[in-house]
Amino acid sequence: MRKLTRQLLAVLLVVTMIAGLTVTGNAAEQESLLTLSVANEQIYAGDEIIVSVNAAVADVVADGKLVVEFNSEALEFKGAEGGNAWPENSDLSLMVNDGNLGQLSIAFAGVYAAAEGAVVNLTFTVLTDKESTISIDTENSYITDAGDMALGAELTLNLVCPSASFTDLNTNEYYHEAVDFALRNGYMNGMGNNIFSPNTALTRAQIITVLYRVAGEPEVTGETSFKDVAADTWYTDAVIWAAQEEITTGMTAELFAPNFAVTREQMVTFFARYAEHEGFDTTSEQELDNYTDASKVSAYAVEYMKWAVETGLIKGVTDTTLVPTASSTRAQAATVLYRYVTLVLGEKGR
């Protein structure tokens, strides 16, 4: 094993440009040995990313220790492994200590020196859509034969906001996080021409399609019994699935009314039946007495509305009104979907 020499090195910010990411830096006074990089062209909250610690030159990195710092509120460390710069016969040993919040220590040793490229790959889960930074702590890091080459490197991740792609979405509105979630996971799409139409009423075909996508778009067989659902529409499979799983019974036995705006009580019913389909108990002791229009909730939807109010899936239009027969907008539906995932499933999805 090569003799250890420990260097006190000036902090170096390495400039690396990657599509969808911005890595900031200053001019180096020493040649840089290390850089940090991410392969993802676009990064969303919920993604799992691999950050590579790269050797800029070959045959220098054989053993050493790197201390990596990161924002633990933005990133969750998942694991580390040797990168492709190590020869297959290098007999690499790798030890990772992630005991300190926001910091991890990586000790490594290889029989043969690494080539230029990824020395260590670090896996993180992205927890937020806020900018976050990963850096190497030069004071506590060393590489045996680094010589005068600097070790400091910093990578700033600028996450993509899905809503930013649409001209009619306001990131300061109540629906921002929910719409981002729906877009990021492919549960909802835009209406074309960079338009999302957050305040447009959601149709019955659209809400069933959303739930079908949440379910993973399972393969369906058979045909629809609804006369107003053709065999080759974008929502046909979703309606067949929903009818077969008893998530919908249609407006009548023969009509689904795909282009009708979905009402608040219909939306609640669809979500409740889907929850039952997934094994959740939707019985509730919740009363609706606090709402002056509780009597306007249709008989088929009363128990589901109680469950939805109790779980927080739906809130009144005001403190005293549910307005059950009003149509639901696309932004409102995205919000209910997000609440379903966070409150009913108890997680934030991807």
Side-chain angles (χ1 to χ4, degrees):
M1 195 65 65
R2 304 178 183 194
K3 182 181 177 181
L4 298 182
T5 61
R6 196 176 181 97
Q7 303 283 337
L8 292 177
L9 301 170
V11 175
L12 172 66
L13 302 181
V14 180
V15 180
T16 305
M17 298 304 296
I18 301 174
L21 302 171
T22 301
V23 183
T24 58
N26 297 324
E29 295 179 359
Q30 297 169 291
E31 182 182 2
S32 171
L33 174 58
L34 301 177
T35 61
L36 299 176
S37 65
V38 171
N40 307 54
E41 291 188 359
Q42 293 184 319
I43 299 177
Y44 299 93
D47 281 355
E48 190 171 271
I49 62 171
I50 295 176
V51 176
S52 295
V53 182
N54 307 298
V57 293
D59 300 324
V60 174
V61 179
D63 61 85
K65 183 182 80 169
L66 297 176
V67 177
V68 178
E69 298 179 329
F70 59 95
N71 181 353
S72 60
E73 294 182 355
L75 298 168
E76 180 184 3
F77 175 66
K78 305 298 289 186
E81 61 181 8
N84 57 15
W86 296 100
E88 289 185 7
N89 58 349
S90 65
D91 191 22
L92 175 69
S93 61
L94 185 69
M95 240 182 0
V96 180
N97 178 0
D98 61 334
N100 295 325
L101 198 62
Q103 188 180 84
L104 57 103
S105 177
I106 309 159
F108 52 87
V111 173
Y112 299 97
E116 181 179 352
V119 176
V120 178
N121 291 322
L122 310 174
T123 302
F124 295 90
T125 297
V126 181
L127 304 177
T128 175
D129 62 359
K130 305 300 182 185
E131 179 180 284
S132 58
T133 301
I134 304 170
S135 61
I136 294 176
D137 174 8
T138 55
E139 281 194 24
N140 297 297
S141 301
Y142 71 90
I143 289 177
T144 300
D145 288 334
D148 292 331
M149 288 180 285
L151 303 185
E154 182 173 285
L155 177 67
T156 300
L157 306 177
N158 291 326
L159 277 74
V160 176
C161 170
S163 294
S165 301
F166 296 90
T167 59
D168 59 346
L169 286 176
N170 184 344
T171 56
N172 294 317
E173 285 287 349
Y174 75 92
Y175 56 69
H176 178 211
E177 187 174 16
V179 170
D180 270 3
F181 169 80
L183 289 169
R184 185 172 67 243
N185 288 283
Y187 299 146
M188 296 181 74
N189 300 314
M191 301 295 285
N193 298 319
N194 299 322
I195 298 295
F196 183 81
S197 300
N199 299 316
T200 299
L202 192 78
T203 67
R204 287 168 52 83
Q206 289 171 340
I207 189 64
I208 286 299
T209 300
V210 167
L211 290 174
Y212 181 55
R213 290 169 178 164
V214 173
E217 298 182 274
E219 184 177 353
V220 298
T221 57
E223 299 178 351
T224 176
S225 61
F226 298 120
K227 293 182 178 180
D228 56 353
V229 176
D232 56 355
T233 71
W234 53 268
Y235 53 80
T236 300
D237 284 353
V239 174
I240 293 173
W241 165 80
Q244 290 176 347
E245 302 300 332
E246 298 183 346
I247 293 166
T248 183
T249 56
M251 297 292 281
T252 69
E254 295 184 340
L255 298 176
F256 177 71
N259 299 317
F260 280 34
V262 66
T263 66
R264 287 164 56 81
E265 65 181 9
Q266 288 171 357
M267 179 171 62
V268 161
T269 299
F270 289 143
F271 272 98
R273 289 174 179 163
Y274 179 67
E276 291 174 340
H277 172 266
E278 292 298 296
F280 291 95
D281 183 4
T282 62
T283 58
S284 172
E285 299 298 323
Q286 175 74 41
E287 296 299 333
L288 303 178
D289 297 344
N290 292 335
Y291 298 100
T292 58
D293 58 352
S295 61
K296 295 182 180 179
V297 179
S298 299
Y300 74 86
V302 170
E303 294 304 315
Y304 291 144
M305 187 66 77
K306 290 179 179 179
W307 168 80
V309 171
E310 180 181 1
T311 59
L313 193 70
I314 197 168
K315 303 181 188 298
V317 172
T318 69
D319 290 340
T320 58
T321 58
L322 287 168
V323 197
T325 58
S327 60
S328 179
T329 68
R330 287 169 53 79
Q332 290 168 343
T335 302
V336 172
L337 169 64
Y338 188 60
R339 289 173 184 161
Y340 175 80
V341 174
T342 57
L343 299 176
V344 178
L345 299 185
E347 58 185 61
K348 287 194 175 182
R350 263 185 40 168

